[in-house]
Amino acid sequence: MQKILMVCLGNICRSPLAEGILREKTNRLGIAVQIDSAGTSNYHIGDHPDKRTIANAKKNDIDISSLKARQFAVTDFDVFDMIFVMDTSNYTNVIALARNEADKNKVELILNRLHPSSNMPVPDPYFGGEQGFQEVFELLDKACDAIINSLNSAK
Ligand code: 4NP
């Protein structure tokens, strides 16, 4: 079974939403994958996702209210096959913990699945308004479809 980790800064906005979207889609399709998310910072360890993220997910029929933030750990390289980061800052922080090339090769900017090699960020909605959350949802929804397509073709 493929094991996929979503990573952002706080693990309360972008990555728990990515986790929820990918879980919902793979459950619906009957694809067995293990999915988790983490933050590169320790700012929100133990916190549920941001209320605005929970509300946005709910509006899109996804329940992420019970998730709890945790910090990315070097042992995640041992557990997960793919590590999707939301922006180049997350990328730098995760790569800094990699112990070897195999670890580094697991780390990808998630929107590169939609726009290869563009290194586009999923914008951080934390300091913005409601519209930012829906924009993040739509980007992650498309990126998760692309991830699922690659899982299917790897079967
Ligand atoms: P996230 O958003 O990385 O998508 O979870 C943020 C959440 C919290 C903070 C920054 C970004 N913060 O500075 O507390």
Side-chain angles (χ1 to χ4, degrees), residues 31-45:
I31 300 172
V33 281
Q34 185 179 316
I35 308 162
D36 195 8
S37 65
T40 57
S41 76
N42 61 5
Y43 304 158
H44 293 281
I45 292 172

Side-chain angles (χ1 to χ4, degrees), residues 8-16 43-44 124-127:
C8 63
L9 175 61
N11 194 207
I12 57 166
C13 293
R14 294 165 293 175
S15 63
Y43 304 158
H44 293 281
D124 188 342
Y126 187 66
F127 296 104

Side-chain angles (χ1 to χ4, degrees), residues 74-130:
V74 72
T75 47
D76 285 319
F77 287 117
D78 298 322
V79 174
F80 293 95
D81 304 297
M82 299 179 208
I83 299 171
F84 289 106
V85 295
M86 303 294 136
D87 61 33
T88 52
S89 166
N90 308 150
Y91 185 86
T92 304
N93 289 330
V94 171
I95 288 288
L97 295 172
R99 300 155 299 185
N100 51 46
E101 284 304 305
D103 285 356
K104 287 182 188 171
N105 288 338
K106 294 182 176 186
V107 189
E108 271 183 80
L109 277 155
I110 192 166
L111 292 190
N112 278 357
R113 288 298 181 104
L114 292 180
H115 307 287
S117 304
S118 68
N119 298 345
M120 279 170 54
V122 177
D124 188 342
Y126 187 66
F127 296 104
E130 294 297 329

